[in-house]
Amino acid sequence: MAITEAVHIGAEELPFIDIGDGSLLRVLQVKRGEGLWIIENIFKAGYEVETHKHTGPVWGYTSSGAWKYKEYDYVNRAGSFLYEPAGSMHTLQCIEDNTRVWFQMYGANLNLDADGNITYAVDGQMTLDFYLAMCEAQGLATPNVLVE
């Protein structure tokens, strides 16, 4: 069913879940037909995401803290905007506590080993399934994720 009106989801309607070492994730939207997934993370200093690349473009906006890609010199700080073209390879490293980042992604996230071989893939549906399962495991009500 097509959405024909604006949709509002309050800040408290989508809980964050722990993804390891106290870093957090929540899923805001998944559009299955477009391969779109929008998430928000709160990272602790020292959190690192495996080296990976995306099959589609990614946009990121940092609202607090600081993080970087191991492969680049720049640091993403509050107010930073980041665009990643499909296929760019990088390793996210968080360098400050309470680093809050919103990501809009298309396609899949391909995790890579040291030789650049794909070890596994994650997409919007898999992330949504994980998020919902973790909410249930933590005794949280089913969150009102915008899913189309």
Side-chain angles (χ1 to χ4, degrees):
M1 175 171 38
I3 296 174
T4 59
E5 296 181 13
V7 176
H8 174 268
I9 299 172
E12 299 306 316
E13 292 181 59
L14 297 173
F16 282 95
I17 57 160
D18 192 308
I19 55 172
D21 86 348
S23 292
L24 307 172
L25 162 77
R26 68 178 172 178
V27 178
L28 304 169
Q29 182 176 13
V30 174
K31 289 184 86 171
R32 295 176 178 120
E34 293 180 19
L36 168 69
W37 41 311
I38 301 173
I39 64 171
E40 186 174 11
N41 292 103
I42 301 175
F43 298 120
K44 291 184 80 170
Y47 187 82
E48 185 168 303
V49 176
E50 276 186 80
T51 301
H52 63 279
K53 62 183 176 180
H54 301 271
T55 61
V58 176
W59 293 263
Y61 180 78
T62 304
S63 57
S64 67
W67 63 281
K68 66 181 296 300
Y69 287 139
K70 190 186 290 189
E71 298 80 8
Y72 299 97
D73 292 331
Y74 60 82
V75 175
N76 295 280
R77 298 188 182 280
S80 292
F81 172 78
L82 179 75
Y83 169 72
E84 301 171 14
S88 69
M89 189 177 75
H90 42 265
T91 310
L92 186 153
Q93 299 177 312
C94 182
I95 55 178
E96 288 183 12
D97 282 336
N98 196 36
T99 294
R100 195 169 190 146
V101 188
W102 180 94
F103 292 105
Q104 174 179 325
M105 297 170 274
Y106 285 91
N109 181 65
L110 306 175
N111 293 291
L112 308 169
D113 66 16
D115 296 321
N117 299 308
I118 298 170
T119 57
Y120 65 96
V122 178
D123 64 10
Q125 185 63 55
M126 292 172 69
T127 302
L128 176 63
D129 292 345
F130 170 75
Y131 177 67
L132 295 175
M134 292 300 292
C135 286
E136 183 178 347
Q138 294 176 18
L140 302 169
T142 301
N144 187 29
V145 178
L146 181 57
V147 178
E148 298 178 72

